[in-house]
């Protein structure tokens, strides 16, 4: 019987139980995952559950869009214990067991030194010779009784001797555990280069990871006179997690080259990965990336960013301006249509904040930068006003025991502020659970 490690407490698969095999399991919307959940808020490859060398379950985020959270806090990788809540998209998984194996731990036998079978016979007592001759029973009844007693003693003695011959040698045997060689860790080598060039500028990003667990990143941005060189030593466990994620992708199934035509521009991705004795190099030039290549490439970029503390500087100024302007325009549209959908105001805030973050290292700032900064404050104010009004309506309905109205307002709050790590969302969820319980009790 398989051990149940996780149970879905909330989401489309609420109540479903999940077993994590010893080699781990990847979770997401894509049917290529080990655990597939049709949750629209999940990334195609969202996170992975795996076991540490000690056999403890942990979860690692796969650079997902909506992140992976444990007990409300965003994580990249974290060991799990029974009772922890893992939030992926709109799904909450509760950890019920966090170890490998399907059977209960075996009870070790007691050590041989403590075995006491109670079979030792007392030392023979010295019998002093008597001068008188023992009297034999004279009648038939006494003779029969003596024979029965003597037979019983002999039978017990023989049985005890047989048990001693069988059990004592086994009890004295020294218990030895078989020596199991620990598997050697996988070895990886990565050489990744990204080049964006046109008539006015050349931007180059180069990341390498060596078998000696060294990572280095080089960035050259000619027009903006930016040059970056950073390197550090990597943690073995993080590298093994990166290897597992790459193994579970389709990178090694890709063709060697994907070449397109794009006049007056040169946009190159070149990625070479070696894991143990398996090597593959993929070159993408002037065309959209294949999905399998993009998944691995983005995961490696995020890994490098998190290790060396780089973010905006890994993109050219032109790319940052395009990203920021696109986000700013999307935010303006969402803000203008804030009455159309409850979540539009929250989404507008996210886009304004990302646009400002993208422009952090860009100088001079574009014209829309000042408006984006101002709109962050205005959007936050309107979002808080909307929350305060809904919260007031819900509290009043609760005091009046109008549970249906209270539930309706609390559900709107969850749409207005969909971020589960936000305290306002958490408070509304707690209240909604209590209100829904009261509604069911009154039905």
């Amino acid at each position: 019987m398989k051990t149940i490690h996780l149970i879905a407490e909330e989401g489309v698969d609420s109540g479903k139980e999940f077993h994590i095999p010893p080699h781990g399991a990847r979770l997401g919307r894509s049917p290529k995952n080990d655990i597939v959940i049709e949750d629209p808020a999940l990334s195609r490859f969202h996170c992975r559950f795996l076991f540490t060398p000690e056999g403890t379950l942990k979860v690692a985020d796969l650079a997902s869009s909506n992140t992976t959270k444990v007990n409300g806090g965003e994580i990249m990788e974290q060991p799990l214990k029974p009772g922890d809540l893992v939030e992926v998209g709109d799904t909450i998984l509760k950890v019920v067991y966090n170890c490998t194996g399907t059977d209960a731990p075996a009870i070790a036998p007691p050590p041989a030194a403590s075995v006491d079978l109670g079979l030792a016979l007392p030392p023979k007592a010295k019998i002093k010779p008597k001068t008188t001759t023992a009297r034999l029973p004279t009648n038939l009844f006494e003779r029969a009784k003596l024979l029965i007693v003597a037979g019983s003693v002999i039978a017990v003695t023989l049985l005890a001797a047989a048990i001693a011959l069988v059990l004592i040698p086994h009890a004295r045997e020294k218990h030895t555990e078989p020596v199991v060689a620990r598997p050697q860790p996988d070895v990886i080598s990565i050489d990744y280069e990204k080049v964006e060039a046109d008539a006015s500028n050349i931007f180059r990003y180069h990341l390498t990871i060596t078998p000696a667990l060294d990572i280095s990143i080089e960035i050259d941005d000619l027009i903006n006179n930016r040059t970056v060189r950073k390197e550090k030593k990597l943690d073995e466990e993080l590298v093994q997690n990166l290897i597992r994620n790459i193994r579970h992708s389709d990178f090694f199934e890709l063709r060697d080259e994907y070449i397109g035509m794009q006049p007056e521009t040169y946009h190159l991705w070149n990625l070479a990965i070696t894991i143990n004795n398996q090597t593959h190099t993929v070159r993408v030039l002037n065309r959209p990336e294949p999905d399998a290549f993009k998944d691995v490439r983005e995961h490696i970029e995020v890994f490098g960013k998190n290790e060396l503390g780089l973010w905006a500087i890994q993109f050219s100024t032109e790319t940052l301006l395009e990203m920021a302007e696109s986000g700013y325009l999307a935010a303006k549209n969402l803000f203008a249509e804030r009455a159309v959908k409850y979540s539009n105001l929250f989404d507008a805030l996210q886009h304004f904040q990302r646009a400002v973050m993208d422009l952090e290292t860009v100088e001079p700032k574009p014209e829309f930068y000042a408006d984006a900064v101002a709109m962050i404050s205005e959007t936050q104010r309107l979002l808080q006003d909307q929350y305060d009004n809904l919260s007031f309506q819900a509290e009043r309905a609760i005091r009046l025991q109008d549970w249906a109205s209270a539930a309706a307002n609390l559900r709107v709050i969850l749409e207005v502020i969909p971020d589960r790590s936000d305290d306002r969302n958490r408070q509304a969820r707690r209240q909604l659970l209590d209100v829904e319980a009261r509604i069911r009790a009154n039905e």
Side-chain angles (χ1 to χ4, degrees):
M1 181 178 179
K2 290 185 176 179
T3 302
I4 303 304
H5 291 95
L6 306 168
I7 292 179
E9 288 215 327
E10 292 186 22
V12 293
D13 284 340
S14 180
K16 190 172 182 179
E17 300 173 339
F18 301 97
H19 164 73
I20 308 301
H23 61 269
R26 189 173 58 181
L27 179 149
R29 285 187 294 108
S30 171
K32 295 182 179 180
N33 289 285
D34 304 296
I35 299 175
V36 180
I37 298 180
E38 297 295 335
D39 182 343
L42 285 180
S43 296
R44 291 191 304 123
F45 302 101
H46 197 101
C47 70
R48 178 168 171 76
F49 293 92
L50 59 157
F51 293 96
T52 66
E54 295 76 25
T56 301
L57 183 66
K58 65 179 180 179
V59 62
D61 184 68
L62 300 181
S64 59
S65 300
N66 291 332
T67 72
T68 300
K69 300 171 186 173
V70 175
N71 299 326
E74 293 184 6
I75 59 97
M76 284 295 294
E77 184 173 300
Q78 181 168 315
L80 300 171
K81 60 183 183 299
D84 282 348
L85 298 178
V86 181
E87 300 180 32
V88 286
D90 291 328
T91 299
I92 296 182
L93 304 170
K94 183 177 181 180
V95 180
V96 296
Y97 188 67
N98 71 329
C99 299
T100 54
T102 59
D103 299 323
I107 299 174
S114 65
V115 174
D116 181 8
L117 300 177
L119 300 176
L121 298 176
K124 293 182 179 179
K126 292 182 180 180
I127 303 174
K128 294 182 180 180
K130 294 184 179 181
T131 56
T132 58
T133 303
R135 182 182 67 84
L136 295 175
T138 57
N139 58 56
L140 184 61
F141 177 78
E142 288 182 341
R143 288 182 180 182
K145 186 165 67 172
L146 180 61
L147 289 173
I148 292 172
V149 171
S152 300
V153 171
I154 293 171
V156 170
T157 303
L158 290 175
L159 179 61
I163 293 174
L165 288 173
V166 173
L167 296 183
I168 288 178
H170 291 286
R172 290 177 179 173
E173 286 181 2
K174 186 177 180 180
H175 181 67
T176 57
E177 291 288 344
V179 178
V180 180
R182 295 188 64 179
Q184 293 297 314
D186 292 316
V187 177
I188 191 170
S189 175
I190 295 177
D191 191 292
Y192 165 53
E193 183 179 39
K194 173 172 64 177
V195 178
E196 299 174 9
D198 55 26
S200 61
N201 188 30
I202 297 177
F203 174 83
R204 176 177 177 267
Y205 172 91
H206 187 210
L207 177 148
T208 60
I209 295 177
T210 71
L213 304 182
D214 294 312
I215 182 173
S216 66
I217 292 180
E218 302 175 358
I219 297 174
D220 296 296
D221 186 3
L222 298 185
I223 196 171
N224 296 290
N225 196 27
R226 292 191 303 172
T227 299
V228 176
R229 301 287 186 273
K230 295 191 75 173
E231 60 184 28
K232 69 172 290 189
K233 203 76 169 177
L234 292 171
D235 179 82
E236 172 71 42
E237 189 172 341
L238 291 176
V239 173
Q240 292 303 312
N241 182 53
L242 177 64
I243 292 172
R244 284 189 287 269
N245 289 325
I246 294 174
R247 281 191 185 280
H248 281 77
S249 73
D250 294 326
F251 176 79
F252 288 95
E253 308 300 322
L254 293 169
R255 302 200 310 265
D256 293 345
E257 286 190 327
Y258 296 84
I259 309 297
M261 297 297 295
Q262 202 169 351
E264 299 182 0
T265 62
Y266 184 84
H267 198 158
L268 167 72
W269 291 286
N270 195 81
L271 178 56
I273 299 177
T274 299
I275 298 178
N276 298 334
N277 296 323
Q278 186 179 18
T279 299
H280 191 42
T281 301
V282 180
R283 183 169 179 258
V284 181
L285 176 64
N286 290 344
R287 61 154 287 174
E289 309 162 83
D291 287 342
F293 181 89
K294 184 178 180 181
D295 288 340
V296 173
R297 189 264 304 169
E298 287 182 344
H299 192 85
I300 291 172
E301 286 186 359
V302 170
F303 183 87
K305 176 202 73 173
N306 291 339
E307 285 299 307
L308 297 176
L310 299 171
W311 172 244
I313 201 169
Q314 68 184 297
F315 299 104
S316 67
T317 299
E318 291 74 16
T319 300
L320 290 171
L321 284 168
E322 290 176 6
M323 291 166 54
E325 185 173 13
S326 176
Y328 169 75
L329 294 175
K332 293 288 281 187
N333 288 334
L334 289 165
F335 185 86
E337 298 177 355
R338 58 188 181 276
V340 176
K341 187 179 178 182
Y342 288 125
S343 61
N344 278 359
L345 200 57
F346 180 87
D347 291 340
L349 177 61
Q350 301 298 303
H351 281 78
F352 281 131
Q353 290 174 332
R354 289 171 188 163
V356 170
M357 182 182 69
D358 290 339
L359 297 172
E360 183 179 5
T361 61
V362 174
E363 295 294 345
K365 299 287 192 290
E367 293 181 359
F368 63 84
Y369 176 78
D371 185 56
V373 173
M375 288 303 297
I376 289 175
S377 298
E378 176 65 9
T379 307
Q380 286 175 331
R381 184 187 66 79
L382 291 176
L383 190 63
Q384 185 63 39
D385 288 347
Q386 193 172 3
Y387 167 78
D388 289 341
N389 179 58
L390 289 166
S391 182
F392 172 77
Q393 298 293 338
E395 291 288 350
R396 185 174 64 176
I398 290 172
R399 287 195 298 271
L400 296 173
Q401 297 189 0
D402 183 357
W403 308 120
S405 296
N409 282 283
L410 291 168
R411 291 190 187 102
V412 174
I413 289 177
L414 297 181
E415 293 185 57
V416 169
I417 304 176
D419 182 6
R420 288 176 172 271
S421 65
D422 192 300
D423 287 339
R424 295 169 293 186
N425 180 288
R426 291 176 179 172
Q427 174 67 16
R429 272 188 290 149
R430 284 193 293 266
Q431 288 182 304
L432 182 58
L433 287 173
D434 180 75
V435 169
E436 288 178 336
R438 297 175 186 276
I439 292 174
R440 289 193 296 270
N442 292 330
E443 288 178 348

